[in-house]
Amino acid sequence: MPGQEADKDFKALPADLGPEKREFTEALRAQFRVCGLSLRAFGARYHHDHTTVWRYLNALFFAYRWSYKAGHRRGLRAAAYK
């Protein structure tokens, strides 16, 4: 399955993570798996450092979450069909 190797990079989500943040992070992870890109390749394609992408996928970074969510979900969907 494309992107399945990325699962090893995901940390378990904290038990005290709020429901909105948990849903957001799980949705990003699901879409990241589909795109089939590595963290570095995804970051390079969308002009983000791979560590920033890693922080979002591991629920460690939520600043600007709505602009990131809107822009990068579109990018993830587009990447899945290339």
Side-chain angles (χ1 to χ4, degrees):
M1 173 178 225
Q4 198 168 25
E5 64 279 353
D7 285 354
K8 70 182 184 318
D9 294 324
F10 298 154
K11 295 188 176 291
L13 295 176
D16 62 345
L17 190 64
E20 182 180 284
K21 290 182 178 180
R22 180 173 297 280
E23 181 182 343
F24 171 73
T25 304
E26 288 172 349
L28 282 179
R29 287 179 174 191
Q31 292 186 3
F32 183 79
R33 285 182 194 104
V34 172
C35 82
L37 297 172
S38 69
L39 290 171
R40 288 186 187 271
F42 184 86
R45 181 175 287 181
Y46 295 102
H47 310 288
H48 285 283
D49 183 77
H50 70 282
T51 56
T52 301
V53 176
W54 183 85
R55 286 181 187 120
Y56 272 99
L57 293 171
N58 286 291
L60 299 173
F61 190 65
F62 290 99
Y64 314 113
R65 70 183 180 272
W66 302 118
S67 63
Y68 184 90
K69 181 178 177 179
H72 290 282
R73 279 192 170 180
R74 283 191 300 271
L76 285 169
R77 283 194 299 267
Y81 297 105
K82 290 187 178 186

